Amino acid sequence: MRTAYLALGADVPVAVRSSATAEDLPWASFAGQQDTYLNVVGSDAVLDAVRHCWASLWTDRAVSYRATQGIDHHAVLIAVVVQRMVDAQVAGVLFTADPVTGTRDRTVIDASPGLGEAVVSGAVNPDRIVVDADGVHVTPGTRTVQVRALPGGGTAQVAAPDRDGACLTEAQATALADLGRRVEAHFGTPQDIEWAVDAAGELWLTQARPITTLHPLPQQTGDGVRVLFCASLAQGLTRPITPMGLSAFRTLASTASALLFGVPVADPVAGPPAFGTAGGRAFIDITAALRSTPGRALLPRILDVMESRSAAVLRGLFDDPRFAVRQTSWVPFVRRLLHVLVRFRIPVLAVLALVRPDAAQRRVVRVGDRVRAVTTAPPALTAAERVDRADRVLRGALPVMPLTTPAAGVGFAMLGLARRVAGPDLDAATVHEVLRSLPHNSTTEMDLRLWALARKLRADPASSAALRGTAPGELARRHRDSTLPPALQSGLAAFLLRHGHRAIAEIDIGMPRWAEDPTYVLGVLANYLRLDDPELAPDVVFARGAAAADAAVAAVVERVRTRSRLRGAIVGFALRRTRRLAGLREEHKDYLIRLFAHVREQLTAVGRELADRELLDRADDVFFLDLAEARTALDGTDLRDLVATRRAAYDRELRRRRVPRILLSDGTEPEAVALPAPADDGSLVGTAASAGTVTAKARVVLDPTGAHLEPGEILVAPSTDPGWTPLFLTAGGLVMEMGGPNSHGAVVAREYGIPAVVGVADATTRIDTGQEVTLDGAAGVVRI
């Protein structure tokens, strides 16, 4: 090092900078986690700075950051880079994409006089310069201090002289943006760059690393800027989907394109042109809908009830001239709608549900019987036949929806009719009351069966002791070995026989089903044993909710009848049909998940064969392929390297906390451009989902498996799917970042009578576990 340093010249100032193997990763920048030493002069000082730089691998902040990012401390090595110092007159950072909004064709520059340390350390409010297609835009900073190099080595903060105008000229800013584009093109991804301009006006690039916070973009699906809707997020899934799960999505999307719109897909493996994936998430191009009058009228209203924030973001794009209406006629939409209605006999099914709800329910049950028949496969199938069977089941899954949803649709249509006829006598809070404890809901029935099992096991000393004193993962292992206490072993087996096809993130075929790994179910049973108050028992609460709903219906009818007996009769009929039919809304999802579980079973067997042939490392690696690749592997192609690459990408995306609801194809996240303003009192505002007010401690849960939820705590989650709902039975309230009034979490919360607010932006980061929270489910407000 001495020799190399002396070769630079006599006492040349240098920068001593870390270069760890866990720095500048695609998902973790490690910015500032190891130490940098600037303006180091002299051989002894350089050696000392190098030693300190090495040692900074073990500062408390670096250790904490690695732990948060899930990086093994002992797998990390550190090197040191020694660079000749630039006599910086102006320095700072440059992002080749807007780090806040995600816009890829916008360069953002922070600049300040002196060394760049003033900018990266946050010591100054720098000039903010944006370079885009419209030119150079400067927002002057305050620049009260500068970091300057001292003559004998080291740096110091000094007061900045008064100075008007920007640090950089327009020509320098443009040159910087051009440099950024060249660096981005070289590395193939948007870059976070440090730069300096010396006394001679020469521009220096001192560091470049990936911008780690941007969500990747799906492949462009059309000309110009497109509007992409995150379909997986709308299903309550913030985590990425495995490649095989996305392959199933593509197959379903291809089937929908052909069946519903008469548009065959040339390449079902790739999916329809409007379907794309990025970051392990499914996106649908909704630009055409946004540019049509029917799309603008219907799509936001649909999203209002299933994903409220997405609806608000979508409406915010209505005034963007890039998405101006081009199709004003309703005729093409009505023609396609009539085609679908006639093809699947939906009007006939709807009338049947209205006139004979018992017959409609029996018809839905018969669909379930056919699904169960499909999921009984011949035992002696070759691996290739299993892949073909999985493909056929997926292609035949979509018709389950139009065969089962009309009954529930009539229930909600009747609710809409009742609201229109009753007027103010049926307000939002009363609607929530009417929808409590709906019968015939497969999700709530599943949860109540699990509660009944917990109540039975509480009376069995051996089972109760096992649940209270053993980790759920260990209990799951003992269940596989059939060594649990008999009551627990048999009771769990009976529950899994009926509901073992369910899972957390169950729309992803790559996720293990409860029948494979009952760890979560056992954890929920242990949580249930902590509920001691008989008045809070879920079955008691559910029965109380049903009685309250019946009373609410009677009260509404009586109020309306005082004004008009005919209106009262209509409202009474409509609300009774709502209670009779609306609970069936979960049946199609349960049937689809049964089919998905069967597909997973077939592909798991394929994975075992590929692992036995040493073409995959383990059986579940098959879920990091798609169906076509699984066939290729069966032909003898070793795809282990491809699986390893995809597993690494999947693990990176698991750490992503923010997923855009709507994404433009230029990278812009519209929600980030106009985030919802907090209420004046600092409370968090979302969408009312289940009426009631509760004050209790919050419990933030990002993954329900192994979650410890004390009875009465308010569950705060990014989103939920039916697999989460067993936790609702003992929760005092629910707060979700995603969802709308008719999303799964909202529906089940109403049925259990717990207050709920959904669509609360960044709730899991703005609320901490243990904080006391007041939740007003009717107003859609959460106060910390």
Side-chain angles (χ1 to χ4, degrees):
M1 281 192 283
R2 287 183 185 276
T3 301
Y5 176 69
L6 292 174
L8 297 177
D11 290 335
V12 172
V14 294
V16 178
R17 313 179 67 164
S18 67
S19 182
T21 54
E23 279 192 37
D24 305 338
L25 299 174
W27 73 95
S29 69
F30 271 79
Q33 299 306 310
Q34 279 79 232
D35 289 338
T36 292
Y37 298 91
L38 300 177
N39 198 42
V40 180
V41 178
S43 296
D44 292 339
V46 169
L47 292 173
D48 187 55
V50 168
R51 282 192 289 267
H52 279 83
C53 201
W54 276 332
S56 70
L57 189 68
W58 296 99
T59 60
D60 53 358
R61 66 179 184 274
V63 170
S64 175
Y65 189 88
R66 288 196 296 273
T68 301
Q69 297 293 338
I71 296 172
D72 181 2
H73 300 299
H74 299 287
V76 180
L77 303 173
I78 187 169
V80 171
V81 176
V82 180
Q83 294 176 310
R84 185 189 298 269
M85 280 288 292
V86 176
D87 181 17
Q89 300 304 296
V90 182
V93 297
L94 175 152
F95 294 92
T96 64
D98 190 317
V100 176
T101 68
T103 307
R104 299 300 203 268
D105 56 2
R106 178 181 296 147
T107 297
V108 178
I109 301 169
D110 285 345
S112 185
L115 299 178
E117 176 66 17
V119 175
V120 298
S121 68
V124 297
N125 180 19
D127 289 352
R128 169 60 59 94
I129 304 168
V130 175
V131 183
D132 58 19
D134 296 327
V136 179
H137 317 277
V138 180
T139 303
T142 52
R143 306 192 311 251
T144 55
V145 298
Q146 299 177 10
V147 175
R148 290 290 183 185
L150 298 176
T155 62
Q157 281 192 10
V158 299
D162 292 336
R163 178 175 174 178
D164 294 329
C167 298
L168 296 174
T169 65
E170 185 170 319
Q172 287 175 318
T174 302
L176 256 178
D178 291 342
L179 171 64
R181 292 294 167 211
R182 296 205 308 276
V183 175
E184 180 181 285
H186 175 77
F187 287 111
T189 186
Q191 295 290 300
D192 167 0
I193 292 169
E194 294 183 18
W195 55 271
V197 177
D198 65 17
E202 187 171 358
L203 174 60
W204 294 82
L205 168 67
T206 59
Q207 178 175 294
R209 58 177 168 232
I211 303 176
T212 60
T213 56
L214 301 177
H215 196 282
L217 298 178
Q219 187 174 355
Q220 182 79 11
T221 56
D223 296 333
V225 177
R226 314 295 293 179
V227 182
L228 309 170
F229 173 67
C230 188
S232 49
L233 199 63
Q235 286 293 314
L237 208 59
T238 55
R239 64 182 294 142
I241 300 175
T242 59
M244 189 63 79
L246 290 172
S247 178
F249 264 55
R250 291 189 192 95
T251 300
L252 292 174
S254 298
T255 305
S257 178
L259 287 180
L260 303 184
F261 305 112
V263 181
V265 176
D267 184 3
V269 174
F275 181 89
T277 63
R281 296 169 180 91
F283 287 87
I284 298 175
D285 186 339
I286 59 171
T287 312
L290 195 60
R291 288 173 173 164
S292 75
T293 299
R296 288 195 172 200
L298 298 176
L299 188 55
R301 287 183 172 86
I302 294 170
L303 292 175
D304 278 334
V305 298
M306 63 179 290
E307 221 301 292
S308 304
R309 281 297 305 157
S310 293
V313 173
L314 193 62
R315 288 189 176 99
L317 296 175
F318 282 2
D319 294 330
D320 191 321
R322 295 174 295 179
F323 311 120
V325 173
R326 298 180 182 177
Q327 171 60 265
T328 59
S329 173
W330 281 76
V331 173
F333 170 78
V334 172
R335 188 182 297 120
R336 287 196 299 268
L337 178 62
L338 289 174
H339 170 76
V340 173
L341 294 177
V342 172
R343 181 185 182 96
F344 292 103
R345 303 175 61 242
I346 290 176
V348 175
L349 297 177
V351 171
L352 177 67
L354 187 64
V355 177
R356 298 174 57 202
D358 288 341
Q361 185 186 1
R362 288 195 296 271
R363 185 180 181 87
V364 171
V365 170
R366 286 198 297 272
V367 173
D369 292 340
R370 293 203 295 271
V371 166
R372 291 180 181 87
V374 168
T375 58
T376 304
L381 293 176
T382 66
E385 289 171 336
R386 290 184 184 277
V387 174
D388 291 340
R389 182 176 181 83
D391 195 11
R392 286 197 306 275
V393 170
L394 287 173
R395 293 183 190 283
L398 195 68
V400 166
M401 297 185 67
L403 291 175
T404 54
T405 54
V410 168
F412 284 104
M414 288 294 99
L415 178 61
L417 173 64
R419 295 196 70 174
R420 183 176 293 274
V421 174
D425 290 321
L426 185 54
D427 58 14
T430 308
V431 168
H432 290 174
E433 196 74 5
V434 168
L435 293 175
R436 286 183 64 182
S437 303
L438 287 172
H440 316 304
N441 184 313
S442 59
T443 300
T444 54
E445 288 172 354
M446 172 187 73
D447 297 342
L448 290 172
R449 286 191 188 99
L450 192 59
W451 163 253
L453 175 59
R455 189 173 55 188
K456 176 183 175 182
L457 296 175
R458 185 194 295 271
D460 179 65
S463 298
S464 179
L467 286 168
R468 294 179 189 274
T470 309
E474 173 60 19
L475 291 175
R477 185 194 64 77
R478 290 173 58 186
H479 173 69
R480 289 191 291 272
D481 296 340
S482 299
T483 58
L484 289 174
L488 179 54
Q489 184 75 34
S490 61
L492 180 60
F495 177 83
L496 295 177
L497 184 64
R498 193 162 192 166
H499 302 291
H501 61 287
R502 307 307 295 251
I504 304 300
E506 59 193 4
I507 63 171
D508 181 2
I509 288 173
M511 294 298 291
R513 309 290 115 173
W514 289 344
E516 302 171 59
D517 181 5
T519 299
Y520 169 67
V521 176
L522 288 159
V524 172
L525 286 171
N527 280 336
Y528 286 173
L529 294 187
R530 288 194 283 270
L531 182 60
D532 297 320
D533 187 344
E535 288 301 305
L536 296 179
D539 53 345
V540 173
V541 172
F542 193 83
R544 202 159 52 227
D550 291 340
V553 169
V556 170
V557 172
E558 187 60 32
R559 288 196 297 270
V560 176
R561 186 176 290 160
T562 60
R563 294 187 283 112
S564 166
R565 294 180 65 84
L566 177 60
R567 285 176 176 268
I570 293 173
V571 170
F573 174 81
L575 291 181
R576 285 191 295 274
R577 284 294 183 266
T578 295
R579 293 217 29 96
R580 185 70 181 77
L581 296 169
L584 294 171
R585 73 181 295 277
E586 295 290 311
E587 293 304 301
H588 75 278
K589 178 76 177 291
D590 184 70
Y591 296 163
L592 283 175
I593 297 307
R594 284 187 183 277
L595 294 172
F596 282 9
H598 179 66
V599 169
R600 178 178 170 84
E601 181 183 359
Q602 301 307 304
L603 294 174
T604 299
V606 174
R608 282 196 293 268
E609 177 170 322
L610 291 172
D612 290 342
R613 293 169 57 186
E614 297 186 351
L615 296 170
L616 294 178
D617 288 329
R618 45 197 252 205
D620 63 352
D621 280 351
V622 73
F623 297 106
F624 288 85
L625 305 174
D626 61 28
L627 288 169
E629 291 162 348
R631 291 188 177 97
T632 300
L634 287 172
D635 290 337
T637 303
D638 188 335
L639 297 178
R640 285 180 289 188
D641 289 344
L642 176 63
V643 167
T645 299
R646 288 180 176 170
R647 274 194 179 275
Y650 180 83
D651 290 342
R652 288 198 300 270
E653 286 298 325
L654 281 174
R655 287 188 279 267
R656 188 181 298 279
R657 291 292 300 276
R658 181 179 177 82
V659 179
R661 291 171 167 86
I662 291 178
L663 183 66
L664 303 188
S665 58
D666 67 356
T668 302
E669 298 181 24
E671 188 176 15
V673 176
L675 287 172
D680 293 339
D681 61 357
S683 57
L684 311 182
V685 179
T687 299
S690 180
T693 301
V694 62
T695 299
K697 288 185 176 180
R699 174 75 62 171
V700 178
V701 178
L702 303 179
D703 183 349
T705 303
H708 179 100
L709 185 70
E710 289 292 340
E713 287 184 328
I714 293 174
L715 174 62
V716 182
S719 63
T720 64
D721 64 7
W724 283 68
T725 57
L727 290 175
F728 291 14
L729 287 181
T730 57
L734 172 68
V735 177
M736 292 197 318
E737 294 179 336
M738 309 300 302
N742 271 354
S743 58
H744 292 290
V747 169
V748 177
R750 283 196 297 270
E751 295 184 4
Y752 291 161
I754 63 173
V757 179
V758 300
V760 181
D762 301 324
T764 59
T765 56
R766 297 163 74 180
I767 299 173
D768 295 326
T769 292
Q771 283 185 314
E772 189 169 89
V773 169
T774 296
L775 186 160
D776 187 337
V781 173
V782 182
R783 298 181 181 86
I784 302 174

